[in-house]
Amino acid sequence: MAVTRFEVYLVSLDATKVDLRQLRVNAAIAAAVTWSFADSTVTLPRHTLAQVDELIETTPLGSQMKAMGLWKDWEQHLRGLSRER
């Protein structure tokens, strides 16, 4: 079984080497971008179910979902777009 980048990151993570200043800056940037999207009047296009299925098949997304424990909910249609469209 291939090891994903996510798993390598978790194994190599060393909390004693965290740059707290940079962590705060990155958190502020993420918050500002999130706020901008939430406050925007622009409606962003959504992927169709077929497009999402294609992404899962043609990219590492499926293996990443499995590594993060999200795959079971996806298969049981508890996560993601409704299949009743």
Side-chain angles (χ1 to χ4, degrees):
M1 184 168 120
V3 176
T4 66
R5 283 184 279 165
F6 178 72
E7 292 166 327
V8 170
Y9 174 77
L10 288 178
V11 170
S12 65
L13 182 63
D14 185 350
T16 61
K17 296 181 183 179
V18 172
D19 180 344
L20 291 178
R21 180 186 173 286
Q22 191 62 47
L23 177 64
R24 288 185 195 104
V25 168
N26 290 343
I29 291 169
V33 169
T34 302
W35 185 278
S36 295
F37 278 125
D39 200 36
S40 175
T41 58
V42 175
T43 302
L44 298 174
R46 295 183 58 127
H47 288 306
T48 65
L49 184 56
Q51 290 171 322
V52 173
D53 286 337
E54 181 181 351
L55 284 171
I56 289 173
E57 292 175 16
T58 60
T59 67
L61 183 57
S63 61
Q64 292 170 349
M65 290 171 66
K66 290 173 185 173
M68 291 186 247
L70 303 173
W71 186 254
K72 182 179 174 185
D73 284 350
W74 172 258
E75 278 189 319
Q76 296 175 351
H77 311 295
L78 301 174
R79 179 176 289 277
L81 295 173
S82 171
R83 303 251 173 200
E84 296 178 5
R85 288 187 177 184

